[in-house]
Amino acid sequence: MTTPKETRLIEKMMDQKNMVSACSKVVRNKGAAGIDGMTVNELNPFLKKNWPKIKEHLLNGTYKPKMVKGVEIPKATGGTRQLGIPTVMDRVIQQALHQVLSPIFDPRFSNSSYGFRPGKSAHQAVEKAREYQAKGNRRVVDMDLAKFFDEVNHDILMARIARKVKDKKILRLIRSFLQSGVMGQGLEEQRIKGTPQGGPLSPLLSNITLDDLDKELERRGHSFCRYADDCKIYVRSRKAGERVLESITNFVEKKLKLKVNQKKSKVTRPWKSKFLGYSFTFEKSPRIKVSKESIKRFKMKLKQAIRKGRGMNLKKFIEDPLNIILRGWINYYRLSEVKNSTEELDGWIRRRLRLILWRQWKRPWTRRKRLMNAGLTEERAVMSAFNRRGPWWNSGASHMNQAFPKKFFDSCGLISLFDKLCDFWKEISGTAVYGTVRTVV
C-alpha cells in the first residue's frame, strides 16, 4: 500500500532548498551548453524570468525536456562514445531528481557497486579487487557490456524504478528524459532505448539498471567489483571462470536485455587485465600498479600539452598547464605500489622539457651559449651544439642531462610523480616506501 509521501515525491523534488542545491551543483560543475546555447552563467537570470512557468509544468506533470546535444568523444580503447549534453535547465531538474531519488535507491545497492555513489570510489574498488586476488581468486572474468548506455531497455528500467517510486508525475518525468531525442550534426534522432551519458541522472539510472546483476552475483556467492558498467568477477580457476561467464552472459542478455561483447569478454589473469586504469602484479600477495594502457594514454596527453608549450617560457609552462595535469594524474594513481613506472615517466617528462629548450634555442651558437651558461665547458658546449644530431637525440644526450639535471627542474617547480607517490605511501604507512630506485636524470 502506497503512503502519501510516496505519491508526493514531486513536491519534495520542488522544495526550495532542494532546487537551490541542484542549481548550485550545476553551476559549480560548469559544463557545455545544450542545444539552446544557454550557459551556466545565464541560468540565474533565466530562472528569475521563467521559473514560475517551469514549476507549474513540473507540478502538473506536463514538463517536456529539450533534446540533448550529441557529442562524439574518443574512447580510451579506440573508437568513439556519444555523450548527450542536456540543456542547463534540464540538468538542474535532473540534479534535483537525483537528490531525491538517491536516498531511496542507494542504501539498497550492493556493497560491491562502487560507481557514482556517496562514500564509494574507484580506489575502494581497486583495493577490493586486490583483496580478492590475495585470497586465492587468481582468475578474473572480464565481462564487457557492449554499448551499455545505448542499450538500456526503458521498460525494464522504469519497472525497476516503479518498485520504489509511486509518484506518477516523477515516473512520467523520468521517462520523458529517457525518451528525449538526440540532436547530432544537424539531425534529430528519437530514442526508444538507452540513456545518454552526460546528464546528472544517468549514473543513478545505470546503477538501478545493473542492481539486479549485482544481486544475482551476490546470490551465487561470487567475489566481484562493479564500477558503472565495468564489472570484474574473481574466481579460482579457468574452468570456473568460463562457467560463470557463460551463465552471467545469459542472465544479462535474457533478463536485463543488454548485450555482452563476446569478443572482448574473457577469462584471464588479473595482471593481464586492467581495472579502472590499474592493474596488478602476479605475486600471491599482489601489488597495485598503473596499467600499461594508462601510461600510454597519459604520454599521449602530455605530448599534446608539451607541443602547445614550445613557444612558452619553460617555468610558466611547468606551472600551468603541466603541473595541473601531473597533479591530477598522480592523485588518481596514488594507489600504485610499483614505483618504477612513475620514475620512468619523470625521466621521460624531463627529456620532453629539455626538447623544448633545445628547439627554442634554434641556432648552434645560441645552443653553445646556453650550454655554457648551464655549466658546460666551452669545448664540450661547442661539440654538443654543432653535432648535427636531431632534437630528440640531443634532449636525451649526456650534455643536456648534465646541463639540466633533475634539480634544475625541481627549482622550476616541476612536480615529480615518483616523489609524490613516495610521499603518499610515507604518509599512510609512516615509513618511506621506495621500491626499486634507479638514477634517472
Side-chain angles (χ1 to χ4, degrees), residues 62 105 122 152 156 212 268 271 383:
T62 57
F105 288 95
V152 172
I156 292 177
D212 278 8
T268 185
W271 52 90
M383 290 179 62

Side-chain angles (χ1 to χ4, degrees), residues 2-14:
T2 61
T3 65
K5 287 185 177 180
E6 288 178 316
T7 57
R8 293 205 302 267
L9 196 59
I10 187 71
E11 295 175 11
K12 187 175 181 180
M13 187 198 91
M14 299 297 297

Side-chain angles (χ1 to χ4, degrees), residues 22-34:
C23 289
S24 299
K25 286 184 179 179
V26 169
V27 172
R28 189 164 60 247
N29 291 338
K30 299 181 181 180

Side-chain angles (χ1 to χ4, degrees), residues 123-371:
H123 287 168
Q124 291 174 351
V126 172
E127 289 176 326
K128 193 66 177 179
R130 189 256 303 273
E131 181 183 321
Y132 287 143
Q133 296 168 53
K135 290 180 178 179
N137 297 288
R138 306 281 285 169
R139 303 275 182 173
V140 60
V141 179
D142 191 347
M143 187 173 63
D144 184 85
L145 297 177
K147 297 183 178 180
F148 166 71
F149 287 92
D150 297 331
E151 294 293 333
V152 172
N153 184 288
H154 289 176
D155 292 334
I156 292 177
L157 174 56
M158 290 306 302
R160 301 290 186 274
I161 297 172
R163 292 174 183 172
K164 307 284 192 307
V165 176
K166 305 304 178 184
D167 189 326
K168 292 183 179 179
K169 291 177 183 177
I170 288 286
L171 294 174
R172 193 179 301 124
L173 182 59
I174 295 172
R175 188 176 277 276
S176 69
F177 276 118
L178 289 173
Q179 294 179 337
S180 61
V182 179
M183 173 70 77
Q185 298 179 347
L187 299 175
E188 296 183 11
E189 180 184 347
Q190 293 300 318
R191 232 183 10 246
I192 58 173
K193 63 179 180 177
T195 170
Q197 291 175 268
L201 196 57
S202 181
L204 177 61
L205 296 181
S206 69
N207 279 332
I208 293 172
T209 300
L210 293 173
D211 187 51
D212 278 8
L213 171 62
D214 298 339
K215 296 296 192 292
E216 179 67 15
L217 291 170
E218 286 180 338
R219 187 184 68 80
R220 299 184 186 190
H222 291 311
S223 300
F224 72 99
C225 299
R226 183 179 66 78
Y227 192 97
D229 60 332
D230 193 353
C231 184
K232 298 289 189 289
I233 308 167
Y234 294 89
V235 296
R236 291 182 175 271
S237 68
R238 170 170 286 278
K239 188 175 180 180
E242 290 171 348
R243 184 175 62 252
V244 169
L245 179 58
E246 182 181 359
S247 61
I248 293 300
T249 296
N250 289 334
F251 176 84
V252 168
E253 294 185 339
K254 292 179 181 178
K255 186 76 179 291
L256 304 182
K257 304 300 181 186
L258 298 171
K259 294 181 180 178
V260 174
N261 190 327
Q262 301 289 350
K263 292 183 179 179
K264 292 185 178 180
S265 298
K266 58 185 181 295
V267 179
T268 185
R269 295 289 193 179
W271 52 90
K272 294 182 180 179
S273 178
K274 61 183 177 68
F275 183 41
L276 302 175
Y278 284 95
S279 188
F280 306 90
T281 60
F282 58 84
E283 296 98 343
K284 287 186 177 181
S285 296
R287 290 174 294 155
I288 300 170
K289 67 177 184 178
V290 184
S291 72
K292 292 179 180 179
E293 294 85 353
S294 297
I295 292 174
K296 184 178 179 181
R297 288 198 304 272
F298 186 51
K299 281 187 172 183
M300 290 176 64
K301 183 177 182 179
L302 287 174
K303 279 183 181 180
Q304 293 174 355
I306 290 172
R307 194 175 291 120
K308 294 177 182 178
R310 288 178 182 175
M312 294 177 62
N313 173 275
L314 186 67
K315 192 168 184 178
K316 289 183 178 179
F317 170 70
I318 287 173
E319 290 174 357
D320 184 10
L322 185 57
N323 272 352
I324 295 174
I325 297 172
L326 297 177
R327 189 177 292 110
W329 191 86
I330 197 59
N331 281 345
Y332 179 76
Y333 287 104
R334 65 180 185 269
L335 292 187
S336 177
E337 298 165 300
V338 178
K339 310 297 188 300
N340 291 351
S341 58
T342 53
E343 192 180 16
E344 289 167 1
L345 266 174
D346 278 341
W348 182 86
I349 291 165
R350 290 192 289 271
R351 183 173 181 179
R352 283 280 165 185
L353 295 177
R354 294 184 190 108
L355 178 64
I356 288 179
L357 291 175
W358 188 263
R359 280 179 165 153
Q360 285 180 345
W361 297 337
K362 294 182 180 178
R363 301 175 184 276
W365 289 106
T366 304
R367 290 168 178 166
R368 165 190 168 275
K369 179 181 177 181
R370 298 293 188 187
L371 290 171

